[in-house]
Amino acid sequence: KKNYKEVSIDPTTQQMYERAQEMGIETVWERLEKQQPQCGYGLLGICCRNCMMGPCRINPFGGEPKRGVCGADADTIVARNLLRMIAAGAAAHSDHGRHVALTLLIAAEMAEKFKKEGKPVLELDNMASNTLPYQVRDVEKLKAVAKRLGIETEGRTIREIAKEVAEVALNDFGKQDEEAIAFLKAYLNPKTYEVFEKAGEKAGMPWFENGILPRSIDREIVESLHRTHIGTDHDPVSILLHGLKTSLGDAWGGSLIATELQDILFGTPQVIKAEANLGVLKEDYVNIVVHGHEPVLSEKIVEAAQDPELIELAQKYGAKGINVVGMCCTGLEVLMRHGIPIAGNFLQQEMAIVTGAVEAMVVDVQCIMPATVDVARCFHTKIIDTSPIATFPGAIHIKFDERRADEIAKEIVKTAVENFPNRSKQRVEIPKEKMEGYVGFSVEAILKHFGGTLKPIEDAIIEGKIKGVAGLVGCNNPKVKQDHNHIKIANELMKRDVLLVGTGCWATAAMKYGIFLPEYADTENVGPGLREFAKEWGIPPALNMGSCVDCTRILVLADMVARDLNVPIHALPVVGSAPEAMTEKAVSIGTYFVASGITTHLGVVPPVLGGPKVVKILTHDLYDIVGAAFIVEPDPYKAAKKMYDHIMKKRKELGI
Ligand code: NFS
């Protein structure tokens, strides 16, 4: 049995973990314990299961076997395994992006169809009609994205523009020519573009003709699987170069499409105050937790929960109303756009159920533990899976269909409401802790705040008031005490006057500890320069930029600064970090940060240490190829120091 203090620094997690132990409920920490000792070959990345001559493993101590049955050595195996992780991460983000693009297309096509059927034309041409399951909520953003892509906007209806934007996005997934994807060309500054273009040559592999410019989002993912098939690519350099290319298809393709088109459909986030942590669950309300990643679903659940009939039904059952809260990235999506409270990050999904106060956890895709179903069995909680690609044995399946979004969302909310009478009141224990914070710092919101330009930030960096910017992202991992590294690294960087921008489960962690409050600038965890800057502009010392696909907002911001200073992104005093990384998506993000020129720290060692050449490429050689590389450092204090040193090096190179 673990002491509750070992698992998390979050008092709500500690409380619920103890409760779970008392009730004999197994959680992620017990399951991790039961896996000990974890397979050493796996941890080092030197086992290969890519063909049926295997599985093969390499002796990490230099003895035999030095090669797999086919002859692959440790570096080939490690590089191949890593490429498959990147491909899976890029696939998850990008399939999400595709789904959003298809939703926009479906909505535009439905508007066309309804118009032909004689329904009110203006509303449909503007895609504002609520006969459509999804509308265009941000016309300005639609036009801005269209303009970037070179799509004509003059004299055209919103519907026509939206349709073409969706089509250009979808074309980026499956096109077969050799050119870079349209979204990358539309968003990336020329100097960084050139770095991508020349990466093959620089790595001594001129047959990478367009370097690491992704040709199509899906193609690079498929090619990753092809290259790593037995008997195909064996050179760690080319395998990893393709890894960079695949991750760039995620960054400047799949994820970017997800973010931009979600803003078009649901509105671009603006600064708003909200609350975080398990204390946002309400004892006398029907509690619905939306968990997963795609706002295509969670937006509709939020809407349906405001339906007067459903609220009345909840009241009939003795509840005061319906309380929707978020978990993980889909939680961040509705937090950013509507200020819906977020109940927690990755390691709190089981904890939320242990409160006994959750009527339904509505899930879609990614980062949802199958164990939620087992924990839910100990309570009245219903796990409702909604995605046709993610079915949970033991859950209720109410599969989502964009065309009938409103109807299905209402059915889901009704299922939750009807479960309220099954709640056992004496088994409810909701932790009190919750924290307020400002969220919604999209690039657009940041620009608005600073008067339409990034100049105030750039000037503060040049003056040295702010030393640089760090993008903090990524998961929780039960191998790390929950939120411990997130907060330590954040504080250590802010103390050194580094402005933070962040996403994903890092952002939820930061919010829970008050870092997104302007008052946080007064604490001893923030250096004098950053404090002064934050106060001058009335911002917190760290900005919440959204979910993990919104890491592209960080890239777009970096791109704008690079343009302003007329340098490639890798010249900027900017670093990235995933202090508690866990998913394959985090591996893809880390890789695309590095490929885009942002040196990135990983706080959890990825399974690469068995391949010395691979380690050298990732932490060293990539500086010569893309101008950035990985820093791997589990100790948060040392990590922050290394990141800061990198920022100072970049300042020196820039002559500031
Ligand atoms: Ni990002 Fe979101 Fe959290 Fe990690 Fe999972 S929720 S996409 S992968 S665990 S940050």
Side-chain angles (χ1 to χ4, degrees), residues 142-445:
L142 173 70
K143 288 187 178 162
V145 173
K147 207 173 144 220
R148 282 210 194 231
L149 292 166
I151 293 169
E152 188 58 64
T153 55
E154 284 302 308
R156 299 181 83 193
T157 63
I158 301 303
R159 179 176 50 77
E160 287 162 343
I161 303 167
K163 192 173 177 212
E164 198 175 337
V165 166
E167 283 166 350
V168 170
L170 289 167
N171 190 49
D172 267 352
F173 284 89
K175 72 186 191 61
Q176 303 298 332
D177 60 58
E178 297 296 312
E179 264 187 51
I181 49 176
F183 267 77
L184 182 143
K185 288 201 281 190
Y187 279 75
L188 188 69
N189 64 82
K191 292 213 161 163
T192 311
Y193 187 94
E194 209 184 305
V195 176
F196 293 176
E197 210 173 17
K198 302 232 164 97
E201 256 168 68
K202 283 213 171 149
M205 297 205 161
W207 53 91
F208 272 76
E209 265 183 36
N210 290 317
I212 51 172
L213 284 167
R215 300 155 296 184
S216 108
I217 300 160
D218 290 348
R219 180 172 177 180
E220 308 311 350
I221 294 166
V222 170
E223 193 178 297
S224 297
L225 296 179
H226 184 179
R227 277 178 187 266
T228 54
H229 186 275
I230 186 231
T232 310
D233 200 2
H234 303 111
D235 192 320
V237 176
S238 52
I239 294 170
L240 294 175
L241 272 184
H242 188 72
L244 300 190
K245 196 192 249 190
T246 305
S247 75
L248 289 174
D250 173 351
W252 302 92
S255 285
L256 182 62
I257 288 168
T259 296
E260 297 297 79
L261 273 49
Q262 281 168 181
D263 283 355
I264 291 170
L265 284 167
F266 308 122
T268 305
Q270 296 300 329
V271 181
I272 184 174
K273 199 176 197 181
E275 291 178 335
N277 219 347
L278 289 177
V280 302
L281 292 166
K282 292 184 186 164
E283 185 140 14
D284 33 21
Y285 280 69
V286 171
N287 288 306
I288 301 178
V289 180
V290 285
H291 176 19
H293 283 77
E294 298 190 358
V296 169
L297 168 77
S298 56
E299 281 277 336
K300 284 288 150 184
I301 302 291
V302 168
E303 256 178 62
Q306 288 159 8
D307 183 304
E309 272 176 33
L310 288 169
I311 295 175
E312 208 176 293
L313 186 67
Q315 286 160 346
K316 206 184 97 197
Y317 287 124
K320 284 196 181 145
I322 305 170
N323 181 38
V324 179
V325 301
M327 177 75 56
C328 285
C329 281
T330 206
L332 285 159
E333 298 281 359
V334 287
L335 171 84
M336 290 281 285
R337 294 195 177 87
H338 309 291
I340 299 292
I342 186 150
N345 49 4
F346 177 74
L347 283 176
Q348 280 167 297
Q349 52 188 293
E350 293 171 292
M351 303 298 106
I353 302 171
V354 173
T355 62
V358 174
E359 274 55 56
M361 184 173 267
V362 184
V363 305
D364 53 29
V365 288
Q366 301 167 25
C367 303
I368 307 141
M369 297 187 199
T372 50
V373 177
D374 301 317
V375 179
R377 273 198 197 104
C378 308
F379 299 91
H380 73 303
T381 306
K382 292 195 155 114
I383 307 291
I384 304 177
D385 66 34
T386 61
S387 167
I389 69 160
T391 297
F392 290 64
I396 299 177
H397 319 303
I398 307 180
K399 298 302 186 183
F400 205 63
D401 171 357
E402 295 69 31
R403 291 177 181 81
R404 297 191 300 118
D406 293 289
E407 186 190 328
I408 298 171
K410 279 185 196 161
E411 188 191 338
I412 291 170
V413 173
K414 188 158 176 257
T415 308
V417 170
E418 284 172 344
N419 195 25
F420 186 76
N422 298 326
R423 186 196 286 187
S424 141
K425 287 211 175 93
Q426 49 298 1
R427 289 187 79 216
V428 170
E429 180 184 330
I430 303 173
K432 281 192 297 296
E433 290 83 356
K434 55 181 178 179
M435 182 58 81
E436 289 189 320
Y438 286 90
V439 302
F441 288 93
S442 58
V443 174
E444 291 81 351

Side-chain angles (χ1 to χ4, degrees), residues 45-46 58-59 66-68 72-80 610-612 614:
I46 42 176
I58 305 299
N59 185 329
K66 291 190 171 70
R67 292 184 178 267
D73 66 7
D75 281 300
T76 301
I77 291 173
V78 168
R80 283 198 305 217
V614 172

Side-chain angles (χ1 to χ4, degrees), residues 293 328-329 346 367 474-476 504-505 548 582-583 585:
H293 283 77
C328 285
C329 281
F346 177 74
C367 303
C475 330
N476 289 140
C505 288
C548 278
M582 174 272 298
T583 60
K585 291 179 291 175

